[in-house]
Amino acid sequence: MNQRWRIFLQGTVQGVGFRPHVFRLAQRLRLGGWIRNETGGVCLEVQGPPARLQTFLERLQTEAPPLARIRRLQIHPLPLGAEQDFRILPSPREGSDPVPLLPPDVALCPDCLAEIQDPDDRRHQYPFTHCTQCGPRFSVVEALPYDRERTTYRWFPLCPACQQEYHNPLDRRFEAQAIACPQCGPQLEWWDEGGAVRLQGLEALQQAVRCLQQGRVVALKGMGGYQILVDATSEAAVHTLRQRKGRGGKPFAVMFPSLEALLQWTVPSPREVSLLQGPESPIVLLRKRRRLPRGIPPLAEAVAPDNPWVGSMLPYTPLHHLLLQRVARPLVCTSGNRSEEVLCYREEDVRRRLVSLVDGVLNHNRPIARHMDDSVVRVVEGRPLLLRRARGYVPRPVPLSRALPPVLAVGGDLKNTVAVTQGAWAVLSQHIGDLATLATWEAFQTVIRDWLRFFRVTPRALASDLHPGYLTTQWAQEEAQRLGIPWVPVQHHHAHIVACMAEHHLEAEVLGVAWDGTGFGPDGTLWGGEFLLSRLDGFQRMAHLEPLPLLGGEQAIREPRRVALALLILLGKDPPSSLGFSSKEIQYFQRLLQKGPVSWASSIGRLFDGIAALLGIRLRNTFEGEAPQALEALAQEGGKAPPYPHPVEGEAPPWRLPWGPLVEALLQDQRQGRPLSWIASRLHTTLAMWIGAVARRVRVRQVVLSGGAFQNKLLLTRTLQVLRGQGFQVFWPHQVPPNDGGLSLGQAVVAGVWLEAGRAPDA
Ligand code: ZN
Ligand code: ZN
Ligand code: FE
């Protein structure tokens, strides 16, 4: 006796070859029915004998295409229908379902790579060759459901040959929205340094190759935006790029022509290789090889000055492959923008902001729907730790432990991202950047409009940081008032911890260790070395680093030597001349410390800064996190080293972690001429043990680590060791960055929980 089932699947099931998979399966099992994309997922009906339906259901999941992620599957029995065959139906135009689970952009697949390298293939050397298993997705989608006419490929009607592939369920390109060929698809063009279009097609490619080989700076239109490329083995070329971009010492990423090439300059672990070659293909921080094979030119020192790591990636579009194969050397590959501005992705941005920085542009005529930077990850314990989350990861939602009211959260002013909640999902935006420039501020507003429209969210509250000086806070406050909905300010470090709690579905109280640069505390001082007993809806400050003074406020963030000076003055020590202060300046700062005004911050980031300056490693920061990164790099070389003193003081919470004994002991090591790497390693051990000591006092079994300081892999792994050794269960962020790029998720969840409990302040 036949049965008929309706099956509804949610997850990443659109744009990944799911319907052809189901089609082929149904054909093989001789089942009737249909399948179609709907806004919230994929809907299908099948009928046939129960045993074969069972097999169908199993293989539907076990043999799903590699990029598919089934998150939810519902089955309803139905009365029998008439059809014998199985069909793929067009998708209905509008749906009412919540979060659509569209896949992120996907790196070029091996099949398509083989095609562009095959002289007999009609896509030989075609830079826009893709299929159901690869290619742009989110960066070309303009609306849902995901169909070609709602992507930026709508400008390229398919030729008869492509049509045939597109409509054939047995073809690798069946209903692949982002397909094209040399006859019907996008084409390359070369712009000269003035922005005039000079060459087309492969000639344009050749021109870019020549320029790069001559050490010139070339912009390239990539998948989700423009990139700037330059020969990574040429000191002069990389130096020119640094000057033009207005970039201090912040490392550049490098794209290697192939895995074989990458292995000549770096030493990745197997897990790092699989990430580099995977569908996300992010920039991965890899250790530079110390001794290069004979005849291999070193990477220019200016790529990542004084840095044992280099952000590395492999070509992830056909265009990258074609270009890198020809240039045959590693290329610096950095975001197409001025320092810290938002990524350029439209031609008008390029003309306004990019053309003046480069010697030519390898452009093409397929529009990009939204900007999408390259993601940046480090691998810790075999899992990616996201430093920047965009291409390959966005818009993959974060599943929450339960449904929350719809909320928009606007993040912080640095490394900005925004987030929405929709049902039991939270969707974090791509990395936007530092909101200090007009271009980035406009992008912030564009992304918000995009997110609300795309995910069909009508927010019932607006969440932001607590910092009254943040542009994002002011915007959220005004916008909430305009919309007549509550504004929910969320404390910075609480947001860091809740983001990680949400990801791990933690609802009970945890000890949150939130360590970063600085964030605004409810007491009006700056925080950044915090131990918060945290719930989703609130926290209690249990302990914190003893505050240290920021001489000159913001100026102290750029100049670690000012922190060092303050530490020395407070410890009653004479500052060495190596810090570069005149005796007049020292007297001035001494008076300032006695009489004020000075702002104080309980910030681990600033402690790292101060120590780096004391040790003479970095007196000034040219980019955020420079001094801590230098200390981490040194500490790697220092081996296992015992801690410095790390007392926890105070009768009742909040306990204080005084930095005095640590700094005194460290200075003694320095006087005794101990190697810097040894000192740096001791510092890392000390901080990990400090966390252990506080955790023992608080005695909550689950500990959450977040905040920018945990981008430091050595600090993170040592802390994990200490805490696990003491029997704690430790969580750290896997799906969202520990830095301020993850704030919006925490804010959204806090606000959602408040709304749900009816506790949000009235508008
Ligand atoms: Zn492909
Ligand atoms: Zn075609
Ligand atoms: Fe932070």
Side-chain angles (χ1 to χ4, degrees):
M1 181 61 181
N2 279 0
Q3 288 182 1
R4 186 179 182 91
W5 295 351
R6 167 174 290 171
I7 302 177
F8 189 69
L9 292 150
Q10 282 176 296
T12 306
V13 288
Q14 290 191 21
V16 292
F18 200 79
R19 287 170 306 156
H21 154 64
V22 171
F23 177 86
R24 283 191 292 268
L25 191 58
Q27 275 201 328
R28 239 173 278 143
L29 295 170
R30 285 170 288 121
L31 299 169
W34 53 261
I35 180 167
R36 73 174 180 216
N37 278 345
E38 290 188 357
T39 308
V42 164
C43 187
L44 62 104
E45 294 188 8
V46 273
Q47 73 175 40
R52 268 191 267 148
L53 286 178
Q54 264 314 330
T55 313
F56 173 83
L57 191 61
E58 265 174 45
R59 291 172 61 185
L60 177 77
Q61 299 169 75
T62 54
E63 296 170 15
L67 298 172
R69 299 272 182 287
I70 300 172
R71 301 233 191 229
R72 200 154 171 228
L73 186 149
Q74 292 161 284
I75 304 176
H76 301 286
L78 289 178
L80 286 182
E83 75 265 61
Q84 300 291 312
D85 59 342
F86 196 90
R87 284 171 307 146
I88 296 178
L89 302 182
S91 35
R93 251 208 79 100
E94 284 293 316
S96 56
D97 277 302
V99 173
L101 299 167
L102 188 74
D105 296 337
V106 188
L108 184 70
C109 77
D111 289 342
C112 288
L113 177 60
E115 282 180 345
I116 63 168
Q117 290 172 336
D118 176 1
D120 296 328
D121 194 279
R122 70 188 189 91
R123 291 189 173 85
H124 182 226
Q125 301 198 341
Y126 181 58
F128 306 93
T129 300
H130 287 300
C131 70
T132 44
Q133 296 308 304
C134 74
R137 299 285 187 273
F138 196 51
S139 62
V140 296
V141 175
E142 294 173 318
L144 286 172
Y146 176 57
D147 279 318
R148 189 166 174 108
E149 70 257 35
R150 287 179 285 276
T151 70
T152 60
Y153 277 91
R154 69 197 156 92
W155 302 101
F156 306 95
L158 295 173
C159 70
C162 285
Q163 283 259 358
Q164 226 166 33
E165 295 169 341
Y166 185 85
H167 291 297
N168 175 6
L170 301 175
D171 193 279
R172 208 173 90 239
R173 295 199 164 84
F174 174 71
E175 297 212 351
Q177 311 307 343
I179 67 166
C181 80
Q183 266 60 56
C184 64
Q187 299 295 339
L188 292 177
E189 59 189 25
W190 174 257
W191 296 8
D192 65 16
E193 68 278 358
V197 180
R198 293 293 180 200
L199 300 163
Q200 310 274 341
L202 287 177
E203 285 190 345
L205 181 71
Q206 278 308 340
Q207 179 64 20
V209 171
R210 270 193 300 278
C211 275
L212 288 165
Q213 285 172 338
Q214 290 161 4
R216 292 202 272 159
V217 182
V218 171
L220 167 107
K221 188 175 187 180
M223 188 121 73
Y226 286 80
Q227 296 168 317
I228 306 182
L229 309 175
V230 80
D231 182 351
T233 61
S234 161
E235 206 68 63
V238 180
H239 191 72
T240 306
L241 176 59
R242 270 200 190 280
Q243 274 187 328
R244 291 196 198 165
K245 265 195 88 154
R247 181 135 152 165
K250 191 175 176 184
F252 284 128
V254 173
M255 184 181 274
F256 294 91
S258 62
L259 182 61
E260 296 68 54
L262 177 134
L263 292 171
Q264 292 177 324
W265 279 278
T266 64
V267 269
S269 69
R271 180 71 187 101
E272 287 165 339
V273 169
S274 74
L275 255 176
L276 287 162
Q277 293 185 311
E280 292 94 358
S281 72
I283 296 169
V284 183
L285 256 56
L286 300 180
R287 290 196 75 90
K288 289 178 185 164
R289 195 177 275 286
R290 283 211 189 128
R291 299 181 69 196
L292 299 179
R294 193 185 294 272
I296 299 295
L299 295 179
E301 178 60 20
V303 169
D306 300 327
N307 201 322
W309 292 284
V310 58
S312 307
M313 64 178 138
L314 291 173
Y316 57 84
T317 67
L319 181 53
H320 289 126
H321 275 280
L322 294 170
L323 184 74
L324 274 280
Q325 255 163 32
R326 286 167 171 74
V327 180
R329 67 189 75 174
L331 297 177
V332 162
C333 182
T334 181
S335 317
N337 54 14
R338 271 173 219 279
S339 242
E340 311 305 329
E341 257 188 14
V342 69
L343 180 69
C344 294
Y345 71 102
R346 293 169 303 192
E347 286 187 7
E348 65 218 64
D349 306 330
V350 178
R351 294 196 182 278
R352 231 180 19 200
R353 291 162 41 208
L354 210 56
V355 162
S356 58
L357 305 185
V358 299
D359 301 314
V361 182
L362 184 55
N363 198 41
H364 62 73
N365 58 348
R366 191 204 71 217
I368 296 173
R370 55 180 67 68
H371 84 271
M372 199 59 66
D373 277 275
D374 293 316
S375 296
V376 184
V377 309
R378 296 186 93 161
V379 174
V380 179
E381 295 194 330
R383 308 195 60 158
L385 174 70
L386 285 148
L387 307 187
R388 183 167 78 196
R389 186 174 183 272
R391 181 181 52 78
Y393 296 91
V394 175
R396 207 179 282 162
V398 179
L400 304 174
S401 52
R402 60 194 153 108
L404 290 176
V407 166
L408 166 68
V410 298
D413 278 14
L414 299 178
K415 296 188 166 62
N416 179 264
T417 63
V418 303
V420 293
T421 51
Q422 166 70 279
W425 308 101
V427 197
L428 212 72
S429 81
Q430 72 272 42
H431 167 83
I432 299 170
D434 296 354
L435 300 178
T437 62
L438 184 62
T440 315
W441 180 248
E442 283 171 357
F444 165 74
Q445 291 176 312
T446 306
V447 171
I448 287 177
R449 278 195 299 274
D450 188 29
W451 237 241
L452 294 179
R453 182 186 63 97
F454 207 86
F455 298 103
R456 297 157 185 255
V457 172
T458 308
R460 284 179 41 208
L462 267 175
S464 74
D465 199 273
L466 193 64
H467 199 313
Y470 274 5
L471 294 171
T472 43
T473 306
Q474 292 161 13
W475 185 88
Q477 205 172 355
E478 282 164 27
E479 187 68 6
Q481 199 162 41
R482 197 180 67 80
L483 296 172
I485 58 176
W487 163 56
V488 184
V490 180
Q491 200 278 324
H492 190 96
H493 302 94
H494 186 223
H496 273 311
I497 297 305
V498 172
C500 187
M501 290 175 75
E503 183 189 328
H504 291 285
H505 293 184
L506 301 172
E507 304 237 346
E509 209 161 46
V510 300
L511 173 61
V513 184
W515 280 11
D516 64 0
T518 44
F520 194 77
D523 58 1
T525 71
L526 294 171
W527 290 12
E530 309 307 312
F531 295 80
L532 309 177
L533 192 58
S534 299
R535 301 172 312 277
L536 294 179
D537 63 345
F539 69 91
Q540 186 194 348
R541 194 185 196 194
M542 298 303 287
H544 59 85
L545 181 72
E546 184 177 283
L548 33 87
L550 304 182
L551 297 174
E554 287 285 301
Q555 193 72 11
I557 297 177
R558 284 187 291 273
E559 289 187 27
R561 64 188 192 123
R562 287 175 180 244
V563 180
L565 179 66
L567 297 181
L568 291 173
I569 293 175
L570 290 175
L571 292 173
K573 297 190 185 303
D574 288 331
S577 57
S578 59
L579 290 180
F581 290 106
S582 68
S583 53
K584 251 177 111 175
E585 283 174 313
I586 293 172
Q587 276 168 21
Y588 167 77
F589 285 126
Q590 273 169 337
R591 269 201 310 279
L592 192 67
L593 273 175
Q594 278 161 14
K595 300 205 179 90
V598 173
S599 52
W600 296 70
S602 57
S603 158
I604 290 291
R606 297 294 84 78
L607 180 64
F608 265 100
D609 278 1
I611 288 173
L614 286 178
L615 297 176
I617 298 162
R618 287 288 186 285
L619 297 182
R620 290 181 173 78
N621 275 332
T622 63
F623 61 94
E624 199 204 352
E626 181 169 4
Q629 281 177 32
L631 281 169
E632 182 192 356
L634 270 173
Q636 294 276 6
E637 312 297 315
K640 262 207 166 332
Y644 291 119
H646 50 280
V648 179
E649 290 179 350
E651 293 299 308
W655 302 302
R656 279 167 295 106
L657 277 48
W659 43 261
L662 153 65
V663 173
E664 297 255 19
L666 183 142
L667 290 172
Q668 195 180 346
D669 263 359
Q670 188 187 24
R671 273 197 307 276
Q672 290 173 354
R674 307 306 288 266
L676 290 178
S677 58
W678 166 260
I679 298 175
S681 177
R682 291 194 72 179
L683 169 67
H684 282 73
T685 310
T686 310
L687 296 175
M689 304 273 286
W690 234 341
I691 292 175
V694 173
R696 279 199 308 279
R697 280 204 184 195
V698 175
R699 284 196 294 180
V700 171
R701 212 176 79 83
Q702 297 184 318
V703 182
V704 165
L705 308 175
S706 193
F710 291 105
Q711 297 173 106
N712 180 326
K713 180 171 166 174
L714 190 68
L715 177 63
L716 178 56
T717 47
R718 286 204 183 157
T719 305
L720 289 171
Q721 267 169 19
V722 167
L723 289 173
R724 286 177 186 150
Q726 296 174 359
F728 292 100
Q729 194 185 4
V730 199
F731 301 88
W732 50 279
H734 301 307
Q735 296 183 47
V736 299
N739 59 43
D740 286 7
L743 284 178
S744 58
L745 173 63
Q747 293 168 356
V749 171
V750 172
V753 170
W754 277 41
L755 265 189
E756 194 185 42
R759 280 181 42 205
D762 285 330

